[in-house]
Amino acid sequence: MFEELAKELEPQLKSMSNFRIGKTGQTIENKYNKKYSQEYNFYKVVDHSSIKDTIDSLEMYIIERFHSLPNCDNEQIGGSDMMESGIYIVYIVYNKQK
């Protein structure tokens, strides 16, 4: 499942001027508005789950796979905690495509 998502994301990520991959237990709108709206123009939900460990693993997989792209702004692979929630989200914040 993770590999299929990554294959689908790869051409999109390569076409973005810059991006950051993350995860949250908040709504994506809240996370974007509180943390990213000044630096990134857009956001995209990659996937969601009610299982926190699934989202932790997916985020790490995607960052590990794409961290070496020159337009990736992630400085580390995973590591941040998420607030407890009924739904967890992996997202990408990015600036306009090239």
Side-chain angles (χ1 to χ4, degrees), residues 63-94:
I63 294 173
E64 284 176 359
R65 180 154 175 171
F66 298 114
H67 183 65
S68 63
L69 291 177
N71 56 340
C72 181
D73 293 338
N74 287 83
E75 296 172 4
Q76 64 183 32
I77 297 173
S80 65
D81 288 330
M82 292 183 287
M83 63 185 286
E84 292 298 320
S85 177
I87 187 126
Y88 302 97
I89 299 169
V90 171
Y91 61 84
I92 298 169
V93 290
Y94 62 98

Side-chain angles (χ1 to χ4, degrees), residues 34-81:
K34 288 180 183 177
K35 188 167 182 181
Y36 296 113
S37 62
Q38 299 300 312
E39 188 175 350
Y40 297 95
N41 295 322
F42 306 98
Y43 61 84
K44 170 185 177 64
V45 172
V46 175
D47 204 0
H48 64 278
S49 175
S50 60
I51 303 168
K52 188 176 184 179
D53 289 344
T54 300
I55 292 304
D56 283 334
S57 297
L58 176 58
E59 181 209 28
M60 282 197 298
Y61 177 84
I62 293 174
I63 294 173
E64 284 176 359
R65 180 154 175 171
F66 298 114
H67 183 65
S68 63
L69 291 177
N71 56 340
C72 181
D73 293 338
N74 287 83
E75 296 172 4
Q76 64 183 32
I77 297 173
S80 65
D81 288 330

Side-chain angles (χ1 to χ4, degrees), residues 5-18:
L5 277 172
K7 282 181 182 180
E8 183 180 314
L9 280 174
E10 188 166 8
Q12 296 172 48
L13 294 176
K14 287 181 175 180
S15 73
M16 295 171 181
S17 59
N18 66 318

Side-chain angles (χ1 to χ4, degrees), residues 24 26-37 43 45 89:
T24 187
Q26 303 175 42
T27 66
I28 188 62
E29 294 83 5
N30 284 346
K31 183 72 171 187
Y32 175 77
N33 288 330
K34 288 180 183 177
K35 188 167 182 181
Y36 296 113
S37 62
Y43 61 84
V45 172
I89 299 169

